[in-house]
Amino acid sequence: MDIKLKIWRQSGPKQAGFYEDHRVVADPHMSFLEMLDVLNEQLLEAGKDAVAFDHDCREGICGACSMVINGNPHGPRAGTTACQLHMREYHDGDEIVIEPWRAAAFPIIKDLVVDRSAFDRIQHAGGYVSVGTGSAPDANTIPIGKRESDEAFDYAACIGCGACVAACPNASAMLFVSSKVAHLSLLPQGKVERKVRVRKMVAAMDAEGFGGCTNHGECSAACPKSISVDAIALLNREYMFAGLARD
Amino acid sequence: MSSATPTSAPPFDRLVKALTSTISLKIVMALTGLAGVGFILFHMAGNLQVFLGRDAYNDYAEFMQGLGALKWVARGGLLTVLGLHVGAAVVLIQRNQRARPERYAGLEQKRTSLAAMYMAELGMVLLAFIVYHIAHFTMGVVSIEFGGVDYYALQQVTEESTRRDLYAHFIVSFQQPGIAITYIVANIALAAHLAHGVTSTFKTAGIAVGRWKLPFEVAGPAIGVIVGLGNISMPLAIWAGFIGGH
Ligand code: HEM
Ligand code: SF4
Ligand code: FES
């Protein structure tokens, strides 16, 4: 299949970017990233600069493969990362526009690669459980209800990819932050630090320059792990109850 | 950019930071928005008495006018609520715009609504309308003189008393297409603002989750439609000559 590509090129963080047209002959069985690999081989053979894009696991678990494909972060398939997208989604002759996540808090490094370390800093602010590290405790020593564990597990599925920020009209990081907060505060191990956690993580989120939530719901529609917007309501509730509690 | 955690800052700075966080401002928007909805429902119920005729409407108007100090407390409260709502909106809108300085070639929207995308623009229409509305009915600045009669100053003379004939002012106002259209357009904007806003409020407040989400998702558009139709029914009925006659 013959695919027309329109790809954002930007040689560095401060350089001006532009869209560049390319053609690629792809196989329907190829993954989307394999199609980009083919393009890069062509570019390198022609002595040109390869398109920089982020990727690691290529199996939908690391969250690295950030790109907006025809206006959809991670492409058109619901609950699917870009690396798990296949060219059979497309038809011969299709034009595909590929651009990076666009958010002030995710500055572009090169082409499609953005710096998502803002998420790491938010996570460092409180997205953990402090423990005295002895040996791992025995399994099932702390009873956790089925509902809580299921819900916590759903929120724990967040891979920190940033598609929620990319999809949000306000470039808000609320779905990411809320899934971390909800996941930890639902479990007994995480309940101890819940007040401090939510205040610190929200403060860190604001300091990074993400926008606010207007309840559009676009984050959840783009999330490759289909995390529900309910997480955001839980975060708001958690934040209100935390009030101005002392650390 | 470093992540300034509230721990290290002095207590007052911590308080300011906590109160101006994105979530706190959203809570301010939600609470003030909800207070506004309460007022709007009350205001609409009062005005719908225009359908009951001149005496009933002027009784209600006289009662409201006679509230004295209480009236000023309510006005002060409403102004504060509006000020907080608009103030928080301005800060949030600025943050949102700064968060996405570069546009996409195209971003597909899957779940949001037109109303949600244009909350700020709708809000600006509402703000302009509120100023116009107060100038029109409360202050009588929007001049409506028909055949040399100043309807704002018109009195209703009954056996017991002489009082302002607000009913006449109301009717004559909406017999003018320009005024009727202004009110109709503003109330369409209000309906849209509330269709998203009311549902959003309950999400912001952390209530609209799980099985409670659907009822609240219906509540916003329902209140929008009720308020919109209720308010528009008045200028429409008068303009069409259904009440007040010509
Ligand atoms: C007639 C008076 C008004 C009422 C009853 C009202 C009501 C509401 C409600 C219930 C919300 C939802 C809050 C939330 O999302 O949690 C809201 C949001 C909003 N309002 Fe108003 N509003 C009014 C006037 C205005 C005005 C004058 C502006 C001026 C710009 C404005 C701007 C906004 C904006 C931008 C939002 C979205 C905030 C966000 O989601 O981040 N509103 N309004
Ligand atoms: S919430 Fe979903 S979209 Fe956002 S970072 Fe986590 S996995 Fe990605
Ligand atoms: S490359 Fe790891 S999720 Fe796509």
Side-chain angles (χ1 to χ4, degrees):
Chain A
M1 55 203 297
D2 197 2
I3 300 289
K4 290 197 227 51
L5 296 168
K6 203 181 237 325
I7 302 187
W8 182 260
R9 302 304 305 262
Q10 184 171 333
S11 54
K14 298 259 177 322
Q15 273 68 36
F18 57 94
Y19 289 93
E20 198 174 75
D21 292 317
H22 290 288
R23 290 187 96 93
V24 146
V25 178
D27 185 290
H29 297 303
M30 279 179 181
S31 76
F32 197 82
L33 300 191
E34 281 168 335
M35 181 275 293
L36 289 178
D37 292 338
V38 171
L39 169 71
N40 278 344
E41 276 172 21
Q42 285 174 25
L43 288 173
L44 289 174
E45 269 167 29
K48 293 186 192 141
D49 203 13
V51 176
F53 64 93
D54 214 350
H55 60 104
D56 185 20
C57 71
R58 296 207 177 196
E59 58 180 16
I61 56 169
C62 76
C65 50
S66 51
M67 55 186 79
V68 174
I69 305 168
N70 282 345
N72 293 297
H74 285 303
R77 273 188 83 88
T80 308
T81 54
C83 60
Q84 292 285 289
L85 181 69
H86 286 82
M87 292 312 293
R88 52 180 170 269
E89 291 291 321
Y90 297 94
H91 304 285
D92 191 43
D94 276 0
E95 186 183 67
I96 305 175
V97 181
I98 311 174
E99 49 186 325
W101 286 177
R102 295 197 189 276
F106 288 161
I108 295 175
I109 299 172
K110 187 166 194 264
D111 299 338
L112 303 175
V113 181
V114 300
D115 177 0
R116 287 177 296 124
S117 54
F119 270 12
D120 299 334
R121 289 188 290 272
I122 296 174
Q123 191 75 341
H124 292 169
Y128 51 78
V129 173
S130 309
V131 285
T133 48
S135 53
D138 287 340
N140 303 327
T141 46
I142 304 170
I144 300 171
K146 167 86 174 130
R147 233 196 74 216
E148 286 77 16
S149 76
D150 281 355
E151 227 181 302
F153 196 83
D154 285 348
Y155 295 132
C158 167
I159 54 176
C161 65
C164 42
V165 174
C168 176
N170 309 330
S172 170
M174 289 281 279
L175 193 65
F176 166 75
V177 175
S178 63
S179 49
K180 300 297 168 199
V181 164
H183 144 50
L184 291 170
S185 66
L186 280 163
L187 297 175
Q189 295 91 333
K191 281 207 162 87
V192 184
E193 295 163 290
R194 67 197 289 184
K195 289 185 181 166
V196 187
R197 174 183 308 116
V198 69
R199 285 192 292 107
K200 286 189 174 172
M201 289 184 81
V202 169
M205 169 183 90
D206 283 348
E208 294 294 345
F210 291 103
C213 174
T214 313
N215 295 312
H216 290 291
E218 294 297 327
C219 49
S220 181
C223 174
K225 300 297 152 188
S226 306
I227 289 173
S228 159
V229 282
D230 283 11
I232 295 177
L234 289 177
L235 168 65
N236 291 339
R237 209 194 294 168
E238 201 68 20
Y239 187 76
M240 274 186 266
F241 285 132
L244 293 164
R246 292 209 74 85
D247 304 313
Chain B
M1 264 180 277
S2 75
S3 48
T5 54
T7 344
S8 49
F12 183 72
D13 288 8
R14 267 184 56 188
L15 184 72
V16 171
K17 264 223 147 66
L19 291 179
T20 55
S21 76
T22 322
I23 297 183
S24 299
L25 290 177
K26 266 315 295 276
I27 293 167
V28 169
M29 297 288 313
L31 293 178
T32 53
L34 210 57
V37 174
F39 167 74
I40 279 172
L41 289 173
F42 179 79
H43 186 70
M44 182 176 80
N47 283 329
L48 282 171
Q49 295 177 62
V50 77
F51 284 103
L52 302 178
R54 185 184 306 265
D55 290 335
Y57 189 78
N58 281 347
D59 282 349
Y60 161 70
E62 194 178 11
F63 168 74
M64 293 298 284
Q65 296 283 318
L67 289 178
L70 203 63
K71 190 171 72 181
W72 285 101
V73 172
R75 283 176 174 172
L78 283 169
L79 200 64
T80 311
V81 161
L82 184 67
L84 285 171
H85 190 79
V86 175
V90 168
V91 176
L92 285 171
I93 290 164
Q94 276 179 346
R95 283 189 199 169
N96 294 346
Q97 284 174 345
R98 260 188 241 130
R100 165 74 41 76
E102 295 247 26
R103 306 275 103 206
Y104 283 104
L107 191 62
E108 200 175 291
Q109 246 108 43
K110 294 201 181 81
R111 302 233 175 119
T112 191
S113 60
L114 265 177
M117 289 303 290
Y118 290 101
M119 285 304 272
E121 289 78 358
L122 292 168
M124 280 183 259
V125 171
L126 294 179
L127 197 59
F129 172 72
I130 291 167
V131 172
Y132 172 82
H133 179 53
I134 291 171
H136 174 205
F137 276 123
T138 313
M139 290 159 55
V141 181
V142 178
S143 136
I144 40 158
E145 288 193 9
F146 271 160
V149 183
D150 178 358
Y151 281 89
Y152 181 72
L154 208 64
Q155 305 284 314
Q156 181 191 25
V157 184
T158 63
E159 295 99 76
E160 303 102 59
S161 69
T162 302
R163 59 187 182 182
R164 275 192 61 203
D165 192 356
L166 269 99
Y167 179 84
H169 185 217
F170 196 144
I171 299 289
V172 168
S173 291
F174 290 133
Q175 281 171 351
Q176 302 189 62
I179 295 181
I181 288 169
T182 305
Y183 276 75
I184 290 168
V185 169
N187 274 287
I188 292 171
L190 177 62
H193 197 77
L194 296 187
H196 176 73
V198 171
T199 299
S200 177
T201 296
F202 291 101
K203 290 185 175 168
T204 301
I207 303 166
V209 290
R211 75 175 101 149
W212 289 103
K213 199 155 57 178
L214 189 65
F216 285 119
E217 259 160 14
V218 177
I223 289 184
V225 168
I226 291 168
V227 168
L229 287 182
N231 280 337
I232 289 171
S233 73
M234 294 177 264
L236 220 52
I238 293 166
W239 193 18
F242 185 70
I243 38 173
H246 272 290

